[in-house]
Amino acid sequence: MTFLTYLISGLALGSVYAIIALGYTMVYGIAKMLNFAHGDIIMVGGYAAFFAFNKFGLSPVVSILASILVCTLLGVIIERLAYKPLRQASSLSVLITAIGVSYFLQNGSQLIFGSDTKIFPAMLMEGSLKLFDGRLMISYLTLFTIFTCVVIMTVLTLFINKTKIGKAMRACAEDKGAAQLMGINVDTTISITFAIGSGLAAVAAILLCSTYPSLSPTLGSMPGIKAFTAAVFGGIGSIPGALLGGLLLGIIENLTKAYISTQLSDAIVFTVLIIVLLIKPTGLLGKKENVKV
Amino acid sequence: MLKVKDLKVRYGMIEAIKGISFEVDDSEIVTLIGANGAGKTTTMHTISGLIKAASGSIELDGRDITKLPAHKIVEMGIAQCPERRRVFAQQSVEDNLFLGAYTRKDKDEIRKDLENVYELFPRLKERSTQMAGTLSGGEQQMLAMGRALMAKPKIMLLDEPSMGLSPLLVREIFDIIKNINSQGVTILLVEQNAKMALSIANRAYVIETGRIVMSGTGEELLNSEDIKKAYLGG
């Protein structure tokens, strides 16, 4: 029974990783860049929800929406100001800029919000579901987190595969020049991608902060790196890959903490990543493209 | 229809196009022929807005489009079927065709044009749900041309449609180009297969290292001794 508890909470942690990993993987797929500031957008999302709820006394739903709005705008603005001017630059310049943006956000929020840790309010549901005469307890928050992940994945997959904008995004991911020849505005498409990824970061922020309720300016870096790992693990650029990578990473991390060692859990997670990449360099679901000439 | 005036294009320090001028009139087939690296594809990409001109102008029906972004140029009525086809390998044949009509809003007309493309290329209809990456080279060429047609262009830019295809297929593709042209679409064709291109072209320009060195009707150039020596294998 305890195994099942660990497994389910691992699944919830993995769901959060998966939602964050989507941001990395979509931006990589379309803009071909690693947005290392993505983790820090999570942090901003956490603070936005915190202030909306605690300081402005907004309802949980409105606070969540406010946080999503703030992150979406932030993501689009960062792309416009920091990355768009580098569209023709080398990928190394873009990478370094992304790291710069990450530090900018961390230090900026330290300046604005202070470096002290704030307690994130319980704005989502409390309580637990008791099964098997109370031998198995799963918090509603855990269930809600997994449910949210499933909904996001379903909606996003439908969006990417069925809508006109989604198909345009996939076209840009494959060949930007050819996409332009179709009349697709690549800049707009990249903005939309950043908007979606950053909006999802806000959702992840609220789920994460509700589970581990402490807010600090660096809160986004570790989940950010783990989710990035998850994206690479699953095959960067692939949406199902982000889901699979996120879930596996969460489960492995939680089971390691439970049965092997809390201190070693990150080391073991990254060891698994290295092994997977040695065997399959494109990640679990990453495609090797075969181009016919 | 299309007027290119004193166009210059640079890649960094290198001037790839050194001031070329040419015109394509309504419902003509005009071809640019020349060797590898002469600047044919660069010219096409500059017309489509993928590369910015250093100087000179490009006009479509009297409107200056030199500085417009690529997606606006498609909207204006210039569709390109690019070199090496560049179909979206991971999307279905039909989705590729619909992407060709991306800038259009007239749903019923798009449907009709889709049927027209399927009539022109029955093989695409058979494979409409297949991923474009699984098509053969010839089929991908047909898809790329169909995709460009879906934009309902006034003028279609065709870059090396014969590349990598068997002689039989090349003939088929060129018949289709003539057919498309007879439906009222003006064509600017870039080819290394000079003989084929000249045989269907109303007029032709010969481009050599970024300059136009000769022009005339397709027939004139086919019979020119210089062209025969340089491009038609004696």
Side-chain angles (χ1 to χ4, degrees), chain B residues 33-66:
Chain B
I33 58 171
N36 227 343
K40 300 175 305 236
T41 296
T42 304
T43 306
M44 295 296 239
H45 280 187
T46 313
I47 296 171
S48 279
L50 292 181
I51 304 174
K52 292 291 156 227
S55 66
S57 72
I58 302 163
E59 276 176 22
L60 179 72
D61 291 333
R63 280 188 59 184
D64 186 5
I65 59 161
T66 323

Short mmCIF file of all heavy atoms in Angstrom, two decimals, chain B residues 33-66:
data_model
loop_
_atom_site.label_atom_id
_atom_site.label_comp_id
_atom_site.label_asym_id
_atom_site.label_seq_id
_atom_site.Cartn_x
_atom_site.Cartn_y
_atom_site.Cartn_z
N ILE B 33 17.47 30.24 -66.59
CA ILE B 33 18.35 29.08 -66.61
C ILE B 33 19.76 29.51 -66.27
O ILE B 33 20.12 30.68 -66.39
CB ILE B 33 18.31 28.32 -67.96
CG1 ILE B 33 18.71 29.24 -69.10
CG2 ILE B 33 16.94 27.73 -68.21
CD1 ILE B 33 18.89 28.51 -70.41
N GLY B 34 20.55 28.55 -65.84
CA GLY B 34 21.91 28.88 -65.46
C GLY B 34 22.50 27.74 -64.66
O GLY B 34 21.79 26.85 -64.20
N ALA B 35 23.81 27.79 -64.49
CA ALA B 35 24.51 26.71 -63.79
C ALA B 35 24.26 26.80 -62.29
O ALA B 35 23.67 27.77 -61.79
CB ALA B 35 25.99 26.79 -64.09
N ASN B 36 24.73 25.78 -61.60
CA ASN B 36 24.70 25.76 -60.15
C ASN B 36 25.41 26.97 -59.59
O ASN B 36 26.51 27.30 -60.04
CB ASN B 36 25.44 24.50 -59.70
CG ASN B 36 24.65 23.77 -58.65
OD1 ASN B 36 23.74 24.33 -58.05
ND2 ASN B 36 25.00 22.53 -58.45
N GLY B 37 24.79 27.66 -58.64
CA GLY B 37 25.48 28.78 -58.00
C GLY B 37 25.39 30.08 -58.77
O GLY B 37 26.01 31.07 -58.40
N ALA B 38 24.60 30.09 -59.84
CA ALA B 38 24.48 31.31 -60.64
C ALA B 38 23.64 32.38 -59.93
O ALA B 38 23.75 33.56 -60.23
CB ALA B 38 23.85 30.99 -61.99
N GLY B 39 22.81 31.93 -58.98
CA GLY B 39 21.98 32.87 -58.23
C GLY B 39 20.50 32.72 -58.52
O GLY B 39 19.71 33.61 -58.19
N LYS B 40 20.12 31.59 -59.10
CA LYS B 40 18.71 31.40 -59.46
C LYS B 40 17.83 31.27 -58.21
O LYS B 40 16.81 31.95 -58.08
CB LYS B 40 18.55 30.14 -60.33
CG LYS B 40 19.33 30.20 -61.64
CD LYS B 40 19.22 28.89 -62.40
CE LYS B 40 19.65 27.75 -61.60
NZ LYS B 40 20.55 26.79 -61.74
N THR B 41 18.26 30.39 -57.31
CA THR B 41 17.46 30.18 -56.10
C THR B 41 17.45 31.43 -55.23
O THR B 41 16.41 31.79 -54.64
CB THR B 41 18.01 28.97 -55.32
OG1 THR B 41 17.83 27.81 -56.13
CG2 THR B 41 17.27 28.76 -54.01
N THR B 42 18.58 32.12 -55.17
CA THR B 42 18.63 33.38 -54.41
C THR B 42 17.60 34.36 -54.95
O THR B 42 16.90 35.03 -54.19
CB THR B 42 20.04 33.98 -54.49
OG1 THR B 42 20.97 33.02 -54.03
CG2 THR B 42 20.15 35.24 -53.65
N THR B 43 17.52 34.44 -56.29
CA THR B 43 16.53 35.33 -56.90
C THR B 43 15.11 34.95 -56.47
O THR B 43 14.32 35.80 -56.06
CB THR B 43 16.64 35.24 -58.44
OG1 THR B 43 17.99 35.50 -58.80
CG2 THR B 43 15.73 36.23 -59.11
N MET B 44 14.83 33.64 -56.53
CA MET B 44 13.49 33.17 -56.14
C MET B 44 13.19 33.51 -54.68
O MET B 44 12.13 33.99 -54.34
CB MET B 44 13.41 31.65 -56.32
CG MET B 44 13.52 31.19 -57.75
SD MET B 44 12.16 31.77 -58.75
CE MET B 44 11.50 30.22 -59.33
N HIS B 45 14.18 33.24 -53.80
CA HIS B 45 13.97 33.50 -52.38
C HIS B 45 13.79 34.99 -52.10
O HIS B 45 13.06 35.38 -51.20
CB HIS B 45 15.14 32.94 -51.57
CG HIS B 45 15.02 31.46 -51.35
ND1 HIS B 45 15.86 30.75 -50.54
CD2 HIS B 45 14.15 30.57 -51.85
CE1 HIS B 45 15.51 29.48 -50.55
NE2 HIS B 45 14.47 29.34 -51.34
N THR B 46 14.47 35.82 -52.90
CA THR B 46 14.33 37.26 -52.69
C THR B 46 12.94 37.72 -53.13
O THR B 46 12.31 38.54 -52.45
CB THR B 46 15.42 38.03 -53.45
OG1 THR B 46 16.68 37.40 -53.21
CG2 THR B 46 15.49 39.47 -53.00
N ILE B 47 12.45 37.18 -54.25
CA ILE B 47 11.10 37.54 -54.68
C ILE B 47 10.09 37.14 -53.60
O ILE B 47 9.18 37.89 -53.26
CB ILE B 47 10.75 36.87 -56.03
CG1 ILE B 47 11.68 37.38 -57.13
CG2 ILE B 47 9.29 37.12 -56.40
CD1 ILE B 47 11.56 36.62 -58.44
N SER B 48 10.29 35.94 -53.03
CA SER B 48 9.35 35.46 -52.01
C SER B 48 9.54 36.14 -50.66
O SER B 48 8.75 35.90 -49.74
CB SER B 48 9.49 33.95 -51.84
OG SER B 48 8.78 33.28 -52.85
N GLY B 49 10.59 36.92 -50.51
CA GLY B 49 10.78 37.64 -49.25
C GLY B 49 11.52 36.86 -48.19
O GLY B 49 11.61 37.30 -47.04
N LEU B 50 12.06 35.69 -48.53
CA LEU B 50 12.82 34.92 -47.54
C LEU B 50 14.20 35.55 -47.33
O LEU B 50 14.81 35.41 -46.28
CB LEU B 50 13.01 33.47 -47.99
CG LEU B 50 11.77 32.59 -48.03
CD1 LEU B 50 12.12 31.18 -48.48
CD2 LEU B 50 11.08 32.55 -46.68
N ILE B 51 14.69 36.23 -48.37
CA ILE B 51 15.95 36.96 -48.28
C ILE B 51 15.64 38.41 -48.62
O ILE B 51 14.82 38.67 -49.50
CB ILE B 51 16.99 36.42 -49.29
CG1 ILE B 51 17.20 34.92 -49.08
CG2 ILE B 51 18.32 37.16 -49.16
CD1 ILE B 51 18.09 34.29 -50.14
N LYS B 52 16.28 39.34 -47.93
CA LYS B 52 16.03 40.75 -48.22
C LYS B 52 16.99 41.25 -49.30
O LYS B 52 18.17 40.92 -49.29
CB LYS B 52 16.17 41.59 -46.95
CG LYS B 52 15.09 41.30 -45.92
CD LYS B 52 13.72 41.80 -46.39
CE LYS B 52 12.58 41.03 -45.71
NZ LYS B 52 11.54 40.57 -46.61
N ALA B 53 16.45 42.06 -50.19
CA ALA B 53 17.29 42.63 -51.24
C ALA B 53 18.18 43.71 -50.66
O ALA B 53 17.79 44.43 -49.74
CB ALA B 53 16.39 43.22 -52.32
N ALA B 54 19.41 43.82 -51.19
CA ALA B 54 20.29 44.90 -50.77
C ALA B 54 19.88 46.20 -51.45
O ALA B 54 19.89 47.27 -50.86
CB ALA B 54 21.74 44.56 -51.09
N SER B 55 19.52 46.09 -52.74
CA SER B 55 18.98 47.25 -53.45
C SER B 55 18.19 46.76 -54.66
O SER B 55 18.18 45.57 -54.97
CB SER B 55 20.10 48.19 -53.89
OG SER B 55 20.89 47.54 -54.85
N GLY B 56 17.53 47.70 -55.33
CA GLY B 56 16.69 47.32 -56.45
C GLY B 56 15.25 47.12 -56.00
O GLY B 56 14.95 47.31 -54.82
N SER B 57 14.39 46.76 -56.94
CA SER B 57 12.99 46.63 -56.54
C SER B 57 12.32 45.43 -57.21
O SER B 57 12.76 44.95 -58.25
CB SER B 57 12.23 47.90 -56.90
OG SER B 57 12.07 47.98 -58.30
N ILE B 58 11.29 44.97 -56.56
CA ILE B 58 10.45 43.90 -57.10
C ILE B 58 9.01 44.42 -57.06
O ILE B 58 8.55 44.87 -56.01
CB ILE B 58 10.56 42.62 -56.25
CG1 ILE B 58 12.02 42.15 -56.18
CG2 ILE B 58 9.67 41.51 -56.82
CD1 ILE B 58 12.28 41.16 -55.07
N GLU B 59 8.36 44.39 -58.22
CA GLU B 59 6.98 44.88 -58.27
C GLU B 59 6.05 43.78 -58.73
O GLU B 59 6.36 43.01 -59.63
CB GLU B 59 6.87 46.03 -59.27
CG GLU B 59 7.25 47.38 -58.71
CD GLU B 59 7.22 48.45 -59.78
OE1 GLU B 59 6.52 48.26 -60.80
OE2 GLU B 59 7.90 49.47 -59.60
N LEU B 60 4.87 43.72 -58.08
CA LEU B 60 3.84 42.81 -58.53
C LEU B 60 2.64 43.66 -58.94
O LEU B 60 2.09 44.39 -58.11
CB LEU B 60 3.44 41.84 -57.41
CG LEU B 60 2.33 40.85 -57.77
CD1 LEU B 60 2.84 39.79 -58.74
CD2 LEU B 60 1.79 40.17 -56.52
N ASP B 61 2.25 43.57 -60.19
CA ASP B 61 1.15 44.39 -60.71
C ASP B 61 1.30 45.86 -60.32
O ASP B 61 0.36 46.50 -59.86
CB ASP B 61 -0.20 43.87 -60.21
CG ASP B 61 -0.53 42.51 -60.83
OD1 ASP B 61 -0.05 42.26 -61.96
OD2 ASP B 61 -1.25 41.73 -60.19
N GLY B 62 2.53 46.35 -60.42
CA GLY B 62 2.77 47.76 -60.15
C GLY B 62 2.96 48.12 -58.69
O GLY B 62 3.28 49.25 -58.37
N ARG B 63 2.77 47.14 -57.79
CA ARG B 63 2.98 47.45 -56.37
C ARG B 63 4.34 46.97 -55.91
O ARG B 63 4.73 45.83 -56.17
CB ARG B 63 1.89 46.79 -55.52
CG ARG B 63 0.59 47.57 -55.52
CD ARG B 63 -0.39 46.99 -54.51
NE ARG B 63 0.15 46.99 -53.15
CZ ARG B 63 -0.50 46.46 -52.12
NH1 ARG B 63 -1.66 45.86 -52.30
NH2 ARG B 63 0.01 46.50 -50.91
N ASP B 64 5.03 47.82 -55.21
CA ASP B 64 6.36 47.48 -54.74
C ASP B 64 6.26 46.48 -53.58
O ASP B 64 5.65 46.78 -52.55
CB ASP B 64 7.08 48.76 -54.27
CG ASP B 64 8.53 48.49 -53.91
OD1 ASP B 64 8.99 47.34 -54.12
OD2 ASP B 64 9.20 49.42 -53.44
N ILE B 65 6.83 45.31 -53.76
CA ILE B 65 6.75 44.30 -52.69
C ILE B 65 8.14 43.99 -52.12
O ILE B 65 8.29 43.05 -51.34
CB ILE B 65 6.12 42.98 -53.20
CG1 ILE B 65 6.93 42.41 -54.37
CG2 ILE B 65 4.68 43.21 -53.66
CD1 ILE B 65 6.66 40.94 -54.63
N THR B 66 9.13 44.80 -52.50
CA THR B 66 10.51 44.48 -52.13
C THR B 66 10.69 44.31 -50.62
O THR B 66 11.43 43.46 -50.18
CB THR B 66 11.45 45.61 -52.61
OG1 THR B 66 10.99 46.07 -53.87
CG2 THR B 66 12.87 45.11 -52.73
#
